[in-house]
Amino acid sequence: MTSPIRTERHGDVLVIIADNPPVNALGAAVRQGLEAAIEEGEADGAIAAMVIRCDGRTFFAGADITEFGKPPVEPMLPTVVDRIEASSKPVVAAIHGTALGGGCEVALGCHYRVAVPSAKIGTPEVKLGLLPGAGGTQRLPRLAGVRLALEMTAKGDPISAKRAQEAGLIDRIVGEDSLAADAVAFAGEVKAVRPIPRASERAVQPDPEAVAAFQKENARRFRSFDAPAANIACVVKATEVPFDQGIAFERKEFLRLMTGNQSAAQRHIFFAERQAAKIDDVPADTPLRPIRRVGVIGAGTMGGGIAMNFLSAGIPVTIVEMAQEALDRGTGVIRKNYEATAAKGRMTSGQVDTAMAALIPTLDFDALADCDLVIEAVYETMAVKQEIFGRLDGIAKPGAILASNTSYLDIDAIAACTSRPQDVLGMHFFSPANVMKLLEVVRGAKTAPDVLATVMALAKTIRKVAVVAGVTYGFIGNRMLMPRQVEANKLLLEGATPEQIDRVHVAFGMPMGPFQMADLAGVDIGWHRDPNRIENVRDALAAEGRWGQKRQAGFYDYDEKRNPSPSPRVAEIIQDWRDKTGTPQHEVTDEEIVERTLYPMVNEGALILEEGKAQRASDVDVVWIYGYGWPVYRGGPMFWAKTEGYDKVVAGLEKHGFTVAQSLKSGSIK
Ligand code: 3HC
């Protein structure tokens, strides 16, 4: 097998080149090749300096994550990085694309770093539940200072070449198109400089104030995650002990994280997210339909948010409403949202104007005729949707993709109102649609493969994580929400309080519990609006006008700042229903809440998979991570069930009388 590493001689500079597509991950062969190439440069008297660069789209994007959990193959990355740093001849890293994780660490092991202006440098290991385990936590603070090292390691966001240069991580920014030649020239300039600058030999001062401030600023973000604290501890260690001891501490912490559940979950999600984009029975090279203009029907909260996704990606949008007032309100909200983003410095006013200029608001339904994709985002009523699709069928150009943003309804029944069901599918965005990453793409019985492939690719363009779902009430996410809500309501009658149930969910890591969610979304949603027909606690709340946060009263009472407190009135209503229904009371434990609200979600996920309504278990996990804020360190409901042990989940479900999915019983979930 040919090595992914080759060398070239440019005068007295040895250029070491990696070619390991797609992202030059530092797999075993790359590590072996790098080490051998450094030895080659050291041994050759005609060589005075070395350059390490990569072919393809990026400098090393990190350790090869697919090797994690497998038996280690020598040389390990820390050894390779140390070998580079120990070289008696200067080594220059030539960076383009993204120097991430182990890639960044290779660069830090080099004595100099040059980069193109578009390059990014970072240590995203924390997002995989890890820390930079090849000396990164010890070399970064020595080169860039404690504060930036904390930012880069514990938060994991990459920085630009410019910022890296300002911080002392990059020695020179070179031409975008002349990296190879400029790096060799730079090596020529520094080849005789002694002593050779080695990051490990630099001193770094403790900065307890910076550490304390950083921890305080990010306490919420880091809540319940193991890895950020470990990253911080390693950076702090770098300021306290000699390099070698710091490295030993880093290694110990790295191994602890690597063998823990959180990192396993986060690595699972890394691959799950990428896997979700793949459609099992549609080839990756399926020709796509061009999407040059998108139509959105409905300028309400959802329609407006949906439109923003395309505008932000530079795709023009025609947005249609029934009345001028609603149209004006909708476009006003879009502008306001963009302006708020600009005020936070995340957009320029020029970009706001460009996005708004690409929006055509209109009352004329016929204006949708030149759209390549039309997304309907009106009321959740089948009759209304069918009427709209019938009309759309007469207007949309041939080949246009017709999508519904329905959260529950049958896409096939909607498609049947057109003469072109092959062009119809669901695009279920999550609220707020311009923020939430998830897109459920609902494949109807007749949806054409290229229509599905086009929308999945488009999702990537608008930076969504898309998951294919089949036609089933509530698709993947909302269908799994239903058993959770049913049980949560029953538990109230049996003796639990909304506070207790929500607390268990928040402690589990969810952003909020079922009743906090009901208050946020609106207790009146789905209510039949008949004050004389009160069938459960929720109806009783709705009939009293306790519609949730918007009314400052729902399952909780709220003050003006929307801070919740337990509601005595709700306690009364619950008691009233306990009495009316004669429900026997018992002390509900936190464990029972987990078994009765979270396990049934797993069970429903298993049923969805058995019915073929989701392609794979990891897709179900992606839905819950990106659509509902399931804690990423638990890897989604299906991964979590595996961590818990299928046997335990099955036993818990059976204990409470649930009918358990066959695949869960047999542990054959895929
Ligand atoms: N190891 C193995 N495979 C990787 C990989 C890695 N580090 N990074 C990306 N890939 C694979 C992806 O799975 C994907 O495979 P597929 O085509 O079969 O689905 C392919 O490379 C392309 O990746 P993307 O679709 O993500 O391509 P993008 O161009 O959108 O993004 C990227 C490129 C920014 C490099 C992104 O892939 C990324 O962020 N990668 C992970 C970076 C990372 O976390 N590095 C740290 C690794 S841990 C480490 O280094 C430990 C060390 O400290 C000891």
Side-chain angles (χ1 to χ4, degrees), residues 22-23 57 61 63-65 102 105 124-125 128 132-133 270-271 274 278:
V23 297
R57 65 201 223 211
D64 186 338
I65 309 171
E105 293 172 291
E125 284 90 338
L128 299 169
F270 177 85
F271 288 113
R274 283 155 181 81
K278 295 171 186 140

Side-chain angles (χ1 to χ4, degrees), residues 198-209:
R198 296 188 173 89
S200 67
E201 293 172 0
R202 289 171 67 118
V204 54
Q205 295 308 314
D207 191 348
E209 277 169 26

